[in-house]
Each structure stands twice: as C-alpha cells, then as structure tokens.
Amino acid sequence: MRKFFVLLICFVGMHLVSAQSHNNYLEVVAGLSFYNEDLAIISQDVVLPEEFQPEDYFRFQIIPKVNFPINNSKLVVGPHVGFGYERFKIAEQNNEVVHRNLYKVGGHAQYEKFNIYGLRPYIEIGANYNIYQTSNSAIASDNQTVDYWKSYMDIGLRVRASESFAVSLLFKDFATYHSASRNFEREDDFTIGPFLSNFIQFPHFSVRYKL
C-alpha cells in the first residue's frame, strides 16, 4: 500500500511539471491539535475503562491537493492525498505511548462564488479512501488496521495574499459520512457539525498557490 501512495504522489508531481496551464492550483491543507482533555472515548466503538485515561494528546493532518478549473469558472476539481498522525500516552499502563497513522487518497470539487470585501467563501465536497493504523496499543480490543471510505463537505473562507498566493480558514467536515465507526475523525455514519466546535478542537488552514 505504501508503494501505491508513492506512485500516486509521483504521478501528481509529474502532472504538475507537465502542466501547461497557469490557471491550475496547488493547495495544502493542514490541521493541528494538542491538549490534555479527558479523551475517554478514543473512537466511537472503543470506550476506555477508568483505568485507561489517555494523556498528552497530539494530532496532525496534512492534505496536498491539485485543483483544475473547469472552463475558467469558479469550480475546480482535482485529486488529493493525505497523511494524519495522532499520539497519546496512558499513564496507568506505564506511560505506554500509542501511535496512529492515517493515509488517504481521493478526489474533490471546490466552488467559490462570492467576493465579500476580499473575503471569498467557498464550499468543497469530496470523497477518499482511508487506511487507519495503530502501531502499538495497550488496549487489547484495538484493531491494528482499519480501512474505510469517507465523504465530506468543508466550508472555507479564503483571502488572497497576492496574485499567486491565498490563505484560508477551513471549517473542516461540516458534513461527513464514514463507512466505519473507527476512524481518524471519530465519527459514525452521517454527521453534521457542530463545525465551530470541530474547528476549536482540530483547527485547519490551507495555503493555495497558482501554478
């Protein structure tokens, strides 16, 4: 599977190099979260008993995207890949540290309609295939590898820093569907919001570059 991701990244890179149009965009979305809140529920289908209380929780995600405009309109489509990582320790288990990795590949469509005093709201819908791996765990029932499909809708607020660069505040996963309840987002089936709470817990931003 890792070879597949390497080949996919190489394919996207070759496409970027060979692109003749200067209207295509390379975008990178990143999210970061670290806190010591009570995370008794690590995922929807695994509720930790009282003796397992995770500490020093850290989560990170990066999603590179390539966006191709459709007929020079405000609609762009393209592929994306992604990598996520989370880590926490369980003090009651001799401070054992649990690591989890996420690998994803998929496609998306993004539509930007309005320009409100330089602020450009947009909507993105997409779907991807995900592999969620636990490298080590103190929880006997914790599956080592889970694969699942995810579809999502994001809402973003974009500001152009220059003719080539733009930055966005991203309200990630305003609406989602997950095919498996154990997943990186810890959501179950169809979910809508609360996007503001989701942003506070796991904020995402993006940088877009015009090729």
Side-chain angles (χ1 to χ4, degrees):
M1 182 56 65
R2 291 183 179 178
K3 291 182 179 179
F4 171 76
F5 280 101
V6 171
L7 290 174
L8 180 65
I9 293 172
C10 290
F11 169 78
V12 173
M14 291 175 62
H15 196 93
L16 288 175
V17 172
S18 62
Q20 298 298 319
S21 172
H22 296 288
N23 294 321
N24 300 328
Y25 299 93
L26 175 63
E27 183 176 6
V28 177
V29 174
L32 179 65
S33 177
F34 50 93
Y35 47 87
N36 290 311
E37 293 182 3
D38 180 12
L39 298 175
I41 300 179
I42 293 300
S43 57
Q44 292 291 334
D45 59 338
V46 176
V47 179
L48 299 181
E50 291 184 359
E51 64 268 22
F52 293 138
Q53 293 301 317
E55 300 177 358
D56 298 338
Y57 183 77
F58 172 82
R59 181 159 56 155
F60 170 77
Q61 179 171 226
I62 185 168
I63 308 173
K65 304 177 181 179
V66 183
N67 298 328
F68 304 101
I70 303 299
N71 295 328
N72 294 321
S73 69
K74 296 294 184 178
L75 175 66
V76 299
V77 298
H80 63 259
V81 295
F83 172 75
Y85 171 77
E86 61 181 346
R87 179 191 67 83
F88 58 89
K89 71 177 182 179
I90 301 178
E92 292 78 7
Q93 293 293 307
N94 297 320
N95 288 325
E96 179 176 355
V97 178
V98 178
H99 302 272
R100 287 175 173 170
N101 296 327
L102 173 73
Y103 306 93
K104 69 173 58 188
V105 57
H108 60 274
Q110 193 177 108
Y111 185 70
E112 174 188 302
K113 176 62 175 177
F114 303 105
N115 183 355
I116 307 173
Y117 299 104
L119 191 63
R120 302 170 183 267
Y122 65 90
I123 293 177
E124 177 176 317
I125 59 173
N128 44 56
Y129 173 72
N130 298 261
I131 298 176
Y132 189 39
Q133 296 179 330
T134 302
S135 60
N136 61 299
S137 177
I139 311 165
S141 61
D142 194 7
N143 295 333
Q144 294 299 306
T145 301
V146 178
D147 61 297
Y148 61 91
W149 289 94
K150 173 188 174 183
S151 57
Y152 66 90
M153 180 176 73
D154 297 342
I155 297 176
L157 297 175
R158 176 176 292 129
V159 176
R160 288 187 179 178
S162 68
E163 184 64 26
S164 299
F165 281 95
V167 295
S168 298
L169 177 68
L170 188 61
F171 296 99
K172 194 96 178 67
D173 296 338
F174 177 80
T176 60
Y177 168 76
H178 294 80
S179 65
S181 58
R182 179 186 294 279
N183 51 68
F184 187 71
E185 294 80 13
R186 290 180 289 281
E187 298 291 354
D188 191 15
D189 295 329
F190 289 98
T191 304
I192 299 179
F195 68 93
L196 189 57
S197 176
N198 291 341
F199 177 80
I200 293 174
Q201 293 182 8
F202 195 18
H204 281 75
F205 303 88
S206 81
V207 177
R208 191 184 72 173
Y209 177 69
K210 186 176 181 180
L211 299 174

